[in-house]
Amino acid sequence: MHPAVHVATDYGTLKRVAMRHAGDFTRPLDGPDVHPVLARQQATSNWTTYDPATVRAQQDHLISLLRDRGTDVVLLPAAPGCSTQHYPRDIAFAVDHILFRARLNSEHRLPEADALTGPALGVHIVDLPRGTIEGGDVLLPDTARVLVGLSEETSPQGTTALQEALARHGIDREVVPVPFAVEGIVHLDDHLAVVAPGTALIHREVFTAGQNRWFDAYFDHLIPVTEAEARAVQVNVLAIAPTTVVVTAGSDRIAAALTAVGLEVLTVDYSEVTRIPGSLRCTTLPLLRT
């Protein structure tokens, strides 16, 4: 019998995942009441209104694909009044046998985390004591490290709190903070994706020179993506096995590059989902990878 939670890497075979359908509520994206963080994020990512029914239909196609591939998909309860409730990756993240609840930076998203109840998943959830940290900034490139992007949503204090929490729970990993060269970054996973052992997609321009050197030394294969591809959220792919990656329709150049390094590439239409900066990874919260 498999444990209820275990995620060692971003590319282990996906056996159980949590998702949540989009709700009907959408937030205004302009005007005098737009939050300063959102204003900065709009400088680095495209934000347009979406049709919730179409988003749900596209999510259903992904759910069908995952179930066909043997993944158990758990649907989370709704978080009324949350325009990004279909992005459960941000509200929690698993590292090895522990599922951590994110400390969300945006107050309007707090009901999303509140709706992430233990009974809904059948697992224990661990809270962090301070700082902010969201799952879109947390990547697991191997079994020894956790990469944490210092985006608009994740703070150094949250990163330190995670390192301490891992130690308390007997998880021997190094938390590696990832700085950016520009403001307005939504999450790390819109600019870096670990797709297979030693292989990643990267939007180099948003990282510091030192961070790019670190990536060059660590990864065996780095597949660069363009500014246009990053803005189209094409970096935000979902690995469902060490040799299989799901990408969005229209990501033709990226799909070809992944195929060229020996990966099986599956494609879904997520064009409505990506009207706000999130995609396949954002809409999925892995609970069990083997």
Side-chain angles (χ1 to χ4, degrees), residues 258-273:
L258 294 171
T259 301
V261 296
L263 299 179
E264 176 190 17
V265 177
L266 307 175
T267 303
V268 296
D269 180 7
Y270 244 36
S271 55
E272 196 70 20
V273 178

Side-chain angles (χ1 to χ4, degrees), residues 33-52:
D33 296 327
V34 169
H35 194 278
V37 170
L38 176 56
R40 288 196 295 273
Q41 290 174 342
Q42 287 175 327
T44 63
S45 302
N46 297 332
W47 294 72
T48 56
T49 56
Y50 60 87
D51 175 64

Side-chain angles (χ1 to χ4, degrees), residues 16 74-77 101 114-125:
R16 189 168 186 245
V74 180
L75 294 177
L76 296 173
R101 192 192 319 270
D114 293 340
L116 180 68
T117 58
L121 298 177
V123 301
H124 176 63
I125 301 172

Side-chain angles (χ1 to χ4, degrees), residues 4-7 18 76 88-104 112-114 116-118 121 123-130 132-136 138-140 145-146 148 158-173 175 285-287:
V5 171
H6 196 272
V7 178
L76 296 173
R89 175 77 66 155
D90 297 340
I91 63 173
F93 52 92
V95 181
D96 292 335
H97 60 284
I98 300 295
L99 182 65
F100 292 97
R101 192 192 319 270
R103 288 180 62 87
L104 296 170
E112 297 179 48
D114 293 340
L116 180 68
T117 58
L121 298 177
V123 301
H124 176 63
I125 301 172
V126 172
D127 289 290
L128 296 171
R130 65 186 183 279
T132 60
I133 186 168
E134 299 188 359
V138 178
L139 274 62
L140 304 179
R145 298 170 183 81
V146 181
V148 180
T159 304
T160 301
L162 175 60
Q163 181 74 83
E164 294 168 354
L166 293 175
R168 284 196 303 273
H169 290 278
I171 297 175
D172 182 17
R173 285 181 184 255
V175 175
L285 170 56
L287 301 172

Side-chain angles (χ1 to χ4, degrees), residues 5-69:
V5 171
H6 196 272
V7 178
T9 68
D10 276 356
Y11 46 78
T13 300
L14 187 61
K15 293 295 187 181
R16 189 168 186 245
V17 67
M19 295 181 65
R20 179 190 279 136
H21 280 113
D24 288 327
F25 176 76
T26 58
R27 293 180 65 84
L29 299 176
D30 52 25
D33 296 327
V34 169
H35 194 278
V37 170
L38 176 56
R40 288 196 295 273
Q41 290 174 342
Q42 287 175 327
T44 63
S45 302
N46 297 332
W47 294 72
T48 56
T49 56
Y50 60 87
D51 175 64
T54 305
V55 170
R56 290 191 290 267
Q58 292 180 348
Q59 288 183 275
D60 283 338
H61 286 136
L62 177 62
I63 290 170
S64 295
L65 181 153
L66 293 175
R67 287 176 171 162
D68 287 345
R69 289 284 174 142

